[in-house]
Amino acid sequence: MTTMRAFRAVSCMVLVLVVAIANGQDEIKATMMRPVEPDCLTTEQMSGWGLPASPTSVDVLKCLAVHTVAVTTETAKKGGGIEFIFGGVSGEKESIKVTQDYVNYRTMLIENHKYRVGIGLRVVATFVTKKGGFDLSNIFNVGISASSEQASGQIGFYVLGITGADVTSLIPAPAPLTRDSVTSAITTIAVLKSKIYDPATVILPVRLAQEVDVTLDQNGRATYVGPTAYPDDRMQLEKPPLRLGM
């Protein structure tokens, strides 16, 4: 199921590109959700959710009814800025970050920008490829490629909007990027998912991703072109040459 969701997301981008090519377009404008550094929502921002005066974690979870697995692949452009890669493979000696989010969310406008907000679990692989042909389709394939010495890097694990003593004790430390470290992270996700509805777990919705404007080319790559505020993401590889607002 997880692989199918990621496949559908990439397939939609491929379909858009095929239509563009058929119409003679070299590139097209599009929007996508880019992961951001989590920032807790305020009570005021959640005021339209229909929550009771003293909401429980279960009450909040009922407002986060959309569940998905989202994979975002970014690379730092030589001239500065960020380029997104949809599926496919890497080039040689590219600095890449693959973010795989397992989230419960809803979308909302905050300061006139569309955000995905909610809770989730995030696995981030940052690495440099040693040669081209690195499989970027999902985080597990990234780990397999790294184990075959096609790249060197690190994997990190983030719990977003879910807290509690049992949760904190389960978070793995950053580790070298290998098939084993990716497998360990995915195993941890399965365990932490079982804690979400535990009475001792506290749910605090955060900003998960922000909609950004991109320009798609025929190679399945997209260049960031907006919006007026760039996601404030301290985990990003490289900031764009111009940052407005926020």
Side-chain angles (χ1 to χ4, degrees), residues 1-2 42 52 67 74 108 113 137 143 152 155 208 223:
M1 185 66 71
T2 296
T42 65
H67 301 195
E74 307 167 48
M108 63 183 296
H113 300 295
S137 57
S152 59
I155 188 169
L208 300 166
T223 301

Side-chain angles (χ1 to χ4, degrees), residues 6-239:
F7 173 76
R8 286 173 181 166
V10 173
S11 296
C12 288
M13 283 296 180
V14 171
L15 178 60
V16 168
L17 287 171
V18 170
V19 172
I21 293 170
N23 292 333
Q25 296 174 255
D26 292 329
E27 58 181 33
I28 60 171
K29 305 295 183 183
T31 60
M32 60 172 284
M33 284 289 183
R34 179 177 186 269
V36 297
E37 181 74 7
D39 184 18
C40 288
L41 299 184
T42 65
T43 302
E44 182 180 358
Q45 288 169 334
M46 294 188 290
S47 60
W49 291 16
L51 291 167
S54 300
T56 64
S57 291
V58 173
D59 292 327
V60 176
L61 286 168
K62 288 179 180 177
C63 296
L64 307 174
V66 184
H67 301 195
T68 193
V69 179
V71 181
T72 306
T73 304
E74 307 167 48
T75 182
K77 296 180 68 177
K78 292 181 179 179
I82 297 293
E83 188 173 62
F84 302 95
I85 307 172
F86 296 97
V89 295
S90 72
E92 185 178 359
K93 296 182 179 179
E94 281 193 288
S95 296
I96 293 175
K97 180 176 76 173
V98 177
T99 303
Q100 189 154 311
D101 280 353
Y102 301 74
V103 294
N104 300 14
Y105 75 95
R106 62 188 291 161
T107 56
M108 63 183 296
L109 288 177
I110 301 176
E111 300 168 356
N112 295 320
H113 300 295
K114 181 184 278 190
Y115 281 90
R116 181 178 288 168
V117 301
I119 63 167
L121 304 166
R122 174 175 292 173
V123 182
V124 179
T126 54
F127 54 93
V128 176
T129 60
K130 296 179 181 178
K131 58 182 179 179
F134 196 94
D135 188 346
L136 301 172
S137 57
N138 60 61
I139 204 81
F140 188 73
N141 287 345
V142 166
I144 293 175
S145 296
S147 293
S148 62
E149 299 185 351
Q150 293 184 41
S152 59
Q154 180 172 280
I155 188 169
F157 192 94
Y158 303 83
V159 179
L160 314 173
I162 309 167
T163 188
D166 289 345
V167 172
T168 304
S169 64
L170 290 170
I171 300 175
L177 179 60
T178 64
R179 178 171 54 184
D180 289 344
S181 62
V182 171
T183 300
S184 176
I186 293 174
T187 300
T188 301
I189 284 171
V191 176
L192 285 171
K193 278 184 175 180
S194 69
K195 300 291 184 182
I196 291 177
Y197 288 91
D198 191 300
T201 300
V202 178
I203 300 298
L204 300 168
V206 301
R207 301 186 197 193
L208 300 166
Q210 182 183 348
E211 186 177 75
V212 296
D213 299 320
V214 296
T215 300
L216 279 166
D217 65 22
Q218 296 184 11
N219 298 315
R221 297 205 171 203
T223 301
Y224 164 78
V225 293
T228 55
Y230 195 79
D232 181 14
D233 185 354
R234 292 188 290 274
M235 292 185 293
Q236 67 192 37
L237 288 167
E238 179 179 337
K239 293 180 180 177

